[in-house]
Amino acid sequence: MTTRLDVNGRTLEVSSAEDTPLLYVLRDELGLNGAKYGCGLGQCGACTVLVGDQAVFSCATPLSMVAGKKVTTLEGLGTLDHPGRMQRAFIEEQAAQCGFCIPGMIMRAEALLRDNPHPGAKQIREALHPNLCRCGTHMRILRAVARAAKA
Amino acid sequence: MNRTRWWNVGAGALALAVAGSCATGGQAPVARLAAPPAPASFDAALVARGAELAAAGNCRGCHTPPGARAYSGGLPLKTPFGTLYTSNITPDPGTGIGRWSEEAFRRAMREGIGRDGEHLYPAFPYDHYTLVTDADDRAIYAYLMTRPPVVSRPPANQLVFPFNVRSAIGAWKKLYFHPGPYEPDPAHDAQWNRGKYLTEGLGHCSGCHSPRNALQAEERGRHMDGGEAEGWHAYALNERSATPDAWTVDAMHAYLRRGWAVDHGVARGPMAGVTRELAQAGDADVRAMSVYLVALMGEAKRAAPAPKAAGDSRAARLYEGACAACHDGTGALPFGGIAFEHSIGIAGEDARNPANVVLYGLPAADGQASPVMPGYAGALSDAELVDLLAYLRGRFSDRPAWNDLAQQVAEARKAGPGIARQSAGGTGTNPARAAEGR
């Protein structure tokens, strides 16, 4: 049995079992490695993608829950040659150290700006609360989101 | 709120306005102290006792907004009549209660009268605190007056007429306020009486766990029938309780003290703040409350129903994919999810709580182990959530379907995470001890 998915604007048929976490489908079946496996419990945010315009933990979201819905991953925001506004802001602020959390941070921040194009500093902090960074580039991440909001 | 209820509010408001015009405007002021009493003037044991009692009353819950300093007030309380802001009860002389004498404090607790003699809004639950003894009021006063003073003036209340007129509260009190100390019931032992005194007095449990009428007074004939708090359902705590597994005193004690119990699950929503405070209350006091509450729910023997067959609906597949990995009953509480046949969320009289939990999850506690759950607000549509909750109800409880499920889900979505943003707190225990408190 296959499931129809809309990923980054393309309609795809995937063959993973319905209870497979979306993250595994993205990485293992579709080769979209932007979203990362961190905790597997929806607690660290490294796996964050968009469903519609909302940030979700793809590791805790089964395929059955997103069938037919619009999924956007890091790859859907831009390319190496043409990074999207949020990706550009993260590059310009050099917000990554090890970089593992960054795709999730970018997707969470993207969801914030889609909901609120001009967030204040406090709103940015609150919105990013579900995502963890273990290296400590938090201040640069916050600056990057603020920069993207001004872009 | 439906149209009939609004009509009742309107009629009630009119009655209150008329009654208010003939009601007394309050009482004489109690003289200001020249300065806050020196903290060292209070006996340390009395202060320690006061700390336990203030925790039993969850003073912090209303008098400390998230992120604010303890007891500094300013938390907005939304009522059908507008927004009230809680007061600063630190001993700051200008903005807190630093110049309140013990007599003024006791009068506020017992009669709902401020130091200046004005009626206090019954959002401050003096309809319960009136039961508190002089000795316990003295200890709480000693505790509050030895807290760090915080300069913080809460915003002005924003209430509609006639609720913005203090004398109208006098009319409300004539209708609904029954002052008087706790009268022990000789048919029960001292522990039960202590439990009732705390549950109905300081604990003011029925403030949330009883339904309220159009003027926000607890309905007298429906004590502990279940009520509402901040967009969450407060379950019935009497013989109407829908708990799948009968509560024991040990289980209730464990739940109240540490926020979870095997076979019953984890405190969440506004109750999480209550159990965080009860962890600091006197152990014998919490046990007495447990004795009283379990007696109130009755001794009925019950056991969770066996789950029905899984079926092959879309909701069944959502359950298998998203819920079962944690909630299949193989992981021990509090870090594993409760098996739904034991969950009052699924068996309860109202779908609002499971809707809140599925949408907004359980955020992790800072710096300690805690139960966690990811929220599904981003991934689930309202229709899917309705299907999922109906499936869980049908499969894991022996109760009839919720009849206002779609409305509850829509309201939970519209209200947003609110208090669900706050962690339910740590568990203060390790998973190896999870079998305790059965």
Side-chain angles (χ1 to χ4, degrees), chain B residues 183-235:
Chain B
E183 302 281 354
D185 182 344
H188 293 275
D189 66 11
Q191 192 182 33
W192 182 95
N193 272 293
R194 178 75 189 162
K196 180 174 180 186
Y197 161 78
L198 287 163
T199 302
E200 307 295 354
L202 265 184
H204 65 286
C205 305
S206 68
C208 293
H209 288 275
S210 292
R212 291 179 181 267
N213 66 20
L215 286 172
Q216 294 296 295
E218 290 175 33
E219 291 184 37
R220 280 244 136 187
R222 302 183 59 195
H223 182 246
M224 299 286 205
D225 271 3
E228 198 225 317
E230 297 177 65
W232 292 70
H233 181 69
Y235 295 111

Side-chain angles (χ1 to χ4, degrees), chain B residues 123-319:
Chain B
F124 173 55
Y126 50 80
D127 48 339
H128 295 273
Y129 294 169
T130 190
L131 300 180
V132 178
T133 62
D134 286 358
D136 285 352
D137 275 340
R138 178 169 305 132
I140 297 166
Y141 178 76
Y143 171 70
L144 291 175
M145 297 308 269
T146 50
R147 294 313 89 206
V150 179
V151 181
S152 175
R153 196 179 298 281
N157 295 328
Q158 293 162 337
L159 296 167
V160 298
F161 181 82
F163 304 99
N164 56 351
V165 181
R166 290 263 176 183
S167 60
I169 310 169
W172 187 94
K173 286 162 96 170
K174 279 190 175 151
L175 289 169
Y176 301 119
F177 177 48
H178 305 279
Y182 178 68
E183 302 281 354
D185 182 344
H188 293 275
D189 66 11
Q191 192 182 33
W192 182 95
N193 272 293
R194 178 75 189 162
K196 180 174 180 186
Y197 161 78
L198 287 163
T199 302
E200 307 295 354
L202 265 184
H204 65 286
C205 305
S206 68
C208 293
H209 288 275
S210 292
R212 291 179 181 267
N213 66 20
L215 286 172
Q216 294 296 295
E218 290 175 33
E219 291 184 37
R220 280 244 136 187
R222 302 183 59 195
H223 182 246
M224 299 286 205
D225 271 3
E228 198 225 317
E230 297 177 65
W232 292 70
H233 181 69
Y235 295 111
L237 296 180
N238 55 21
E239 70 285 345
R240 296 168 68 105
S241 167
T243 184
D245 300 85
W247 282 92
T248 64
V249 173
D250 283 346
M252 184 64 79
H253 178 251
Y255 176 83
L256 293 177
R257 285 287 275 176
R258 69 181 183 194
W260 65 277
V262 173
D263 291 348
H264 296 282
V266 178
R268 64 224 190 267
M271 191 63 196
V274 174
T275 59
R276 272 201 302 274
E277 283 292 287
L278 288 175
Q280 312 297 322
D283 193 61
D285 281 350
V286 177
R287 183 156 284 274
M289 293 169 81
S290 307
V291 166
Y292 171 68
L293 284 167
V294 169
L296 202 60
M297 285 192 273
E299 303 293 321
K301 291 272 176 279
R302 43 179 139 187
K308 301 175 187 73
D312 186 34
S313 58
R314 176 170 160 88
R317 295 195 294 275
L318 287 175
Y319 165 81

Side-chain angles (χ1 to χ4, degrees), chain A residues 50-93:
Chain A
L50 301 186
V51 174
D53 290 326
Q54 297 207 53
V56 307
F57 301 119
S58 64
C59 77
T61 303
L63 183 56
S64 58
M65 205 178 274
V66 291
K69 296 179 188 172
K70 271 174 68 79
V71 176
T72 306
T73 71
L74 184 73
E75 293 88 343
L77 296 187
T79 64
L80 268 180
D81 294 334
H82 300 284
R85 61 168 174 180
M86 191 63 70
Q87 293 161 321
R88 215 161 43 237
F90 271 68
I91 294 166
E92 283 162 359
E93 292 291 343

Side-chain angles (χ1 to χ4, degrees), chain B residues 14-24 165 167-168 171:
Chain B
L14 188 64
L16 209 59
V18 172
S21 63
C22 7
T24 60
V165 181
S167 60

Side-chain angles (χ1 to χ4, degrees), chain A residues 96-114:
Chain A
Q97 182 163 302
C98 88
F100 201 77
C101 73
I102 296 297
M105 292 283 184
I106 289 177
M107 299 315 288
R108 179 79 51 186
E110 177 68 24
L112 168 66
L113 293 201
R114 289 186 184 191

